[in-house]
Amino acid sequence: MSNLRIVISGGGTGGHIFPAVSIANAIREIEPGAKILFVGANGRMEMQRVPQAGYEIKGLPIRGFLRPLWKPGNIGVALDYLKSKRMAKKILQEFRPQVAVGVGGYASSAALGAANAMGIPTLLQEQNSYAGLANKQLAGKAAKICVAYEGMERFFPKEKIMLTGNPVRQSLLESKITREEALRSFGLAADKKTVLLVGGSLGARTINQSVLNHLDMIAAHPELQFILQTGKYYSQQIADELRAKGQPANLKVTDFISDMAAAYRAADLVVSRAGASSISEFCLIGKPVILVPSPNVAEDHQTKNAMALVNRGAALYAKDSEAPDVVIRLAVETVTDDDALRSLSANILKMALPDSARIIAQEVIKLAKQ
């Protein structure tokens, strides 16, 4: 069906954009002639990332409401929302999609709201164990809702839900790098256990602080090695502190890791935030992980994501406020306990839902052909 036309909308964070692009790629694999248009929010990450992935994107002036809601600036936000809805309707009238896909984020509420008003079937993809506001509002009129966690009927109509998992970066699954090659690429020894501490693309101050607070403990375990990804925002401050305090020989520090497949392959244990995309990746590769949920996200959904794993013995957990004191000690205890690593790996693998992008793509195409 080469006249297939699909709109995909949403973004704001990598956690929304990775799945959106993975779904688009899977649609193209099944239907190479499909025309796919993204709709995003001006000034947000998707306006760069989507064109880099080879897709056209249209931007809307939509943005989030300020808290508390009676702030005077919200008048402008409301006017931009109404303008975005009009623009979204015009984009859909010109592009004429047979189906619209929403992955969460500001833009999806306007674009899929317009699609619903125009009678275009919609499919939602919810990454988190706690549904986002946009998807909750759009669920009533959606034809299908693809989710990554069980128990989502508390947010969505049960008959519309399909458990598909989250699409993840293909490069992670396709990488053929060995553990030895991965460790060598970081300049590390092949015969030592390795802990990877990573705070997402922007870094996480709490995870960085965990390392800075326990340089002596890291130095006291020369049989282990540590990789810290600081994030670009924090890299200068961390470099200054390490110069002042002294950097242990077994600590490798970098501001950004471009090859996450190599980083994960090198690591025996990961310390990470609990974003939905990251968790889906850990499940698929069976990686033992200590999760430190970010407290700065809507509805505290990262804690809910983390607890879905912790309650099944599939991950360990440290509260953000306590992490600077406890994470390094917990990491050392865990990475030196082979039984604990084996158990975490086996349990997290049981939660993996492979082929998510392709399964969702098939549902999108089915809706379009109806």
Side-chain angles (χ1 to χ4, degrees), residues 204-346:
R205 184 171 47 206
T206 303
I207 291 175
N208 292 337
Q209 204 55 52
S210 304
V211 172
L212 292 173
N213 286 7
H214 293 93
L215 294 172
D216 53 346
M217 192 181 289
I218 289 169
H221 286 278
E223 76 285 4
L224 304 176
Q225 50 199 0
F226 297 78
I227 305 170
L228 171 64
Q229 186 230 18
T230 62
K232 286 194 163 60
Y233 181 76
Y234 299 105
S235 64
Q236 192 55 53
Q237 173 215 334
I238 305 284
D240 293 344
E241 287 208 41
L242 286 172
R243 250 194 310 277
K245 293 179 175 177
Q247 182 171 337
N250 59 338
L251 172 64
K252 167 89 180 173
V253 180
T254 178
D255 64 341
F256 181 72
I257 297 172
S258 55
D259 188 353
M260 284 310 295
Y264 288 157
R265 192 61 53 89
D268 296 280
L269 175 70
V270 180
V271 177
S272 168
R273 288 304 200 192
S277 288
S278 299
I279 285 182
S280 296
E281 290 171 356
F282 300 139
C283 290
L284 282 165
I285 60 177
K287 191 58 61 176
V289 62
I290 298 170
L291 296 168
V292 185
S294 169
N296 310 315
V297 292
E299 317 278 7
D300 196 24
H301 68 244
Q302 284 205 5
T303 297
K304 295 169 178 110
N305 291 346
M307 296 320 291
L309 272 71
V310 172
N311 292 337
R312 295 181 178 204
L316 300 175
Y317 159 78
K319 194 175 175 183
D320 185 80
S321 58
E322 297 166 4
D325 295 328
V326 303
V327 155
I328 295 298
R329 187 176 294 109
L330 181 58
V332 169
E333 283 169 10
T334 308
V335 81
T336 52
D337 182 341
D338 289 341
D339 289 340
L341 291 178
R342 268 194 296 274
S343 170
L344 287 167
S345 182

Side-chain angles (χ1 to χ4, degrees), residues 109-272:
S109 60
L112 270 79
N116 286 332
M118 294 164 71
I120 298 165
T122 59
L123 177 144
L124 303 179
Q125 197 260 328
E126 175 56 60
Q127 298 94 30
N128 291 295
S129 62
Y130 192 93
L133 192 60
N135 280 348
K136 280 194 282 196
Q137 289 170 340
L138 294 163
K141 293 190 172 171
K144 184 74 73 178
I145 303 167
C146 297
V147 302
Y149 292 89
E150 287 166 359
M152 296 301 283
E153 51 277 357
R154 66 190 198 280
F155 305 110
F156 302 132
K158 191 177 180 181
E159 67 281 2
K160 296 181 181 186
I161 293 174
M162 184 173 181
L163 184 66
T164 59
N166 280 326
V168 303
R169 291 176 277 195
Q170 288 311 109
S171 57
L172 288 184
L173 304 180
E174 290 163 3
S175 175
K176 299 281 187 282
I177 193 168
T178 66
R179 182 174 181 274
E180 287 69 27
E181 288 166 344
L183 285 162
R184 211 167 31 243
S185 74
F186 285 97
L188 295 173
D191 60 345
K192 292 184 179 182
K193 291 274 188 73
T194 305
V195 178
L196 169 69
L197 301 109
V198 59
S201 53
L202 301 174
R205 184 171 47 206
T206 303
I207 291 175
N208 292 337
Q209 204 55 52
S210 304
V211 172
L212 292 173
N213 286 7
H214 293 93
L215 294 172
D216 53 346
M217 192 181 289
I218 289 169
H221 286 278
E223 76 285 4
L224 304 176
Q225 50 199 0
F226 297 78
I227 305 170
L228 171 64
Q229 186 230 18
T230 62
K232 286 194 163 60
Y233 181 76
Y234 299 105
S235 64
Q236 192 55 53
Q237 173 215 334
I238 305 284
D240 293 344
E241 287 208 41
L242 286 172
R243 250 194 310 277
K245 293 179 175 177
Q247 182 171 337
N250 59 338
L251 172 64
K252 167 89 180 173
V253 180
T254 178
D255 64 341
F256 181 72
I257 297 172
S258 55
D259 188 353
M260 284 310 295
Y264 288 157
R265 192 61 53 89
D268 296 280
L269 175 70
V270 180
V271 177
S272 168

